[in-house]
């Protein structure tokens, strides 16, 4: 089959044949270059898609972390309010204990005084 391809070149001058050979060589070189560039393009497109997927995954992770952070902040606020309430309740109870302790001491003194009076 290659002989049929070359048949059209019969009878051409050596200078024209040289030019045809140069052009064919250049065409082959350009085809190879195009294939290489096509491969590079496909590789770059694949890398781009991979990076886009990575960015999307990171955006999703960031959104998840943001929601988790918000939830934790709300939990912290809730715990802080509970702590303040418990602290206030503790202060109230300590105050009540102090009052009752003073009352107990006063009652003990009254009892001692009354016992002293009884002994007399």
């Amino acid at each position: 089959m290659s002989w049929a391809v070359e048949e059209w070149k019969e009878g051409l001058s050596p200078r024209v044949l040289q030019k045809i050979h140069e052009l064919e060589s250049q065409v082959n070189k350009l085809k190879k270059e195009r294939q290489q560039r096509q491969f590079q393009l496909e590789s770059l497109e694949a890398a781009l898609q991979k990076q886009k997927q990575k960015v999307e995954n990171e955006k999703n992770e960031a959104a998840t972390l943001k929601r988790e952070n918000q939830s934790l902040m709300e939990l912290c606020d809730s715990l802080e309010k509970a702590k303040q309430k418990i602290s206030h309740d503790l202060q109230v109870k300590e105050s009540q204990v102090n009052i009752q302790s003073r009352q107990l001491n006063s009652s003990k003194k009254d009892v001692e005084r009354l016992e002293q009076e009884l002994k007399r």
Side-chain angles (χ1 to χ4, degrees), residues 14-24:
R15 187 172 161 212
V16 171
L17 288 173
Q18 176 65 30
K19 187 67 175 173
I20 290 171
H21 177 68
E22 288 173 8
L23 290 173
E24 287 175 338

Side-chain angles (χ1 to χ4, degrees), residues 108 110-120:
K108 280 183 182 177
D110 287 346
V111 166
E112 285 177 6
R113 188 178 45 79
L114 289 173
E115 284 177 346
Q116 289 294 329
E117 283 182 23
L118 281 174
K119 284 181 183 177
R120 281 189 237 158

Side-chain angles (χ1 to χ4, degrees), residues 68-82:
E68 185 178 338
N69 187 42
Q70 181 65 31
S71 174
L72 290 172
M73 287 175 60
E74 290 170 1
L75 179 60
C76 284
D77 288 345
S78 171
L79 290 173
E80 182 63 30
K81 287 178 184 176

Side-chain angles (χ1 to χ4, degrees), residues 2 6 11 27 33 41 53 55 68 71 81 83 88-89:
S2 66
E6 298 294 324
V27 165
E33 188 177 317
L41 176 63
Q53 184 63 43
V55 166
E68 185 178 338
S71 174
K81 287 178 184 176
K83 177 187 166 200
H88 179 270
D89 290 348

Side-chain angles (χ1 to χ4, degrees), residues 8-111:
W8 67 274
K9 295 180 186 177
E10 287 180 13
L12 297 175
S13 71
R15 187 172 161 212
V16 171
L17 288 173
Q18 176 65 30
K19 187 67 175 173
I20 290 171
H21 177 68
E22 288 173 8
L23 290 173
E24 287 175 338
S25 177
Q26 190 176 6
V27 165
N28 287 333
K29 180 181 173 188
L30 290 172
K31 282 182 182 178
K32 285 180 184 177
E33 188 177 317
R34 185 177 99 10
Q35 287 175 340
Q36 287 176 340
R37 289 187 187 225
Q38 183 65 33
F39 177 74
Q40 286 176 338
L41 176 63
E42 289 169 359
S43 297
L44 289 172
E45 285 176 343
L48 176 63
Q49 287 304 318
K50 190 175 181 181
Q51 287 297 318
K52 283 182 179 180
Q53 184 63 43
K54 187 177 179 182
V55 166
E56 188 63 30
N57 290 344
E58 288 178 0
K59 281 182 182 178
N60 291 338
E61 185 178 347
T64 299
L65 290 173
K66 189 174 181 179
R67 285 191 301 271
E68 185 178 338
N69 187 42
Q70 181 65 31
S71 174
L72 290 172
M73 287 175 60
E74 290 170 1
L75 179 60
C76 284
D77 288 345
S78 171
L79 290 173
E80 182 63 30
K81 287 178 184 176
K83 177 187 166 200
Q84 288 175 356
K85 183 183 181 311
I86 289 170
S87 179
H88 179 270
D89 290 348
L90 177 63
Q91 287 176 347
V92 168
K93 290 185 190 300
E94 284 176 341
S95 176
Q96 290 173 345
V97 165
N98 287 335
I99 290 170
Q100 290 176 348
S101 178
R102 285 194 299 271
Q103 287 175 347
L104 177 63
N105 285 338
S106 176
S107 294
K108 280 183 182 177
K109 286 181 183 176
D110 287 346
V111 166

